[in-house]
Amino acid sequence: MGKKSRDKGNSFERAVAAAVRAAWGLDVSRTPLSGGWGKRKTGGDLVFMDDNVNLFVECKNPRSVNLETILLGEDCPIFSWWDKALGQAASERKTNTVLVFKWWRSRTWVLTRSSSCGVTFHRNDEKLLLLPLEDWLACGKESYVKV
């Protein structure tokens, strides 16, 4: 991966962390060293300092994605990233997985199973939700934080 691509991804991860921090008031930041942060269970691209947060967040900022392809459940990189994130979340005992993504000049989108609002569609036997990041944040943190 080139420096420009890495910088673009790092910047996107920081922006997502800032949006979560602002909306939910959680202590969250980009995982240092691209996820290679010692033995701490990081929760993906973002690390939550509160152990009561049960959320694995993977962030992707590819050059292009076809939203129609996602809604139709067709083969696209988003689903390979989703499957990988599910596997990583399971290994870290996180039951809520979120894939946050955007592409060139698009709004930021969230793909998840754990939300009460959003556009629902099916991929294989899996019910998924797709919604803009700001709408996902507005749905609240209750599903992801143990009180």
Side-chain angles (χ1 to χ4, degrees):
M1 176 186 304
K3 183 174 178 359
K4 279 186 178 182
S5 180
R6 193 170 42 250
D7 289 348
K8 181 176 83 159
N10 293 346
S11 175
F12 181 59
E13 291 167 4
R14 284 190 297 274
V16 172
V20 171
R21 189 179 317 108
W24 292 354
L26 297 174
D27 189 2
V28 59
S29 61
R30 180 182 165 273
T31 301
L33 305 174
S34 300
W37 193 30
K39 296 186 186 288
R40 180 173 172 89
K41 300 298 184 191
T42 62
D45 289 330
L46 302 185
V47 60
F48 295 88
M49 297 304 166
D50 184 344
D51 289 335
N52 291 322
V53 177
N54 181 10
L55 182 59
F56 184 95
V57 180
E58 183 70 19
C59 299
K60 295 293 181 185
N61 190 3
R63 184 167 295 172
S64 66
V65 172
N66 184 335
L67 195 59
E68 183 177 297
T69 302
I70 297 167
L71 292 173
L72 293 174
E74 296 176 359
D75 188 34
C76 72
I78 294 294
F79 293 124
S80 62
W81 297 328
W82 174 252
D83 293 339
K84 183 178 177 185
L86 286 176
Q88 291 173 332
S91 72
E92 294 189 18
R93 299 180 185 204
K94 300 285 186 181
T95 56
N96 297 305
T97 304
V98 173
L99 177 64
V100 182
F101 65 95
K102 68 176 286 183
W103 58 96
W104 190 67
R105 295 187 184 201
S106 79
R107 72 189 311 171
T108 301
W109 293 91
V110 171
L111 181 67
T112 186
R113 295 187 291 205
S114 307
S115 182
S116 59
C117 52
V119 176
T120 304
F121 67 99
H122 289 83
R123 175 181 171 248
N124 302 325
D125 293 330
E126 189 174 35
K127 179 181 170 183
L128 298 171
L129 295 139
L130 181 68
L131 62 164
L133 176 64
E134 59 272 13
D135 292 354
W136 177 72
L137 291 169
C139 287
K141 63 184 178 185
E142 292 76 22
S143 299
Y144 311 104
V145 181
K146 297 175 203 164
V147 180

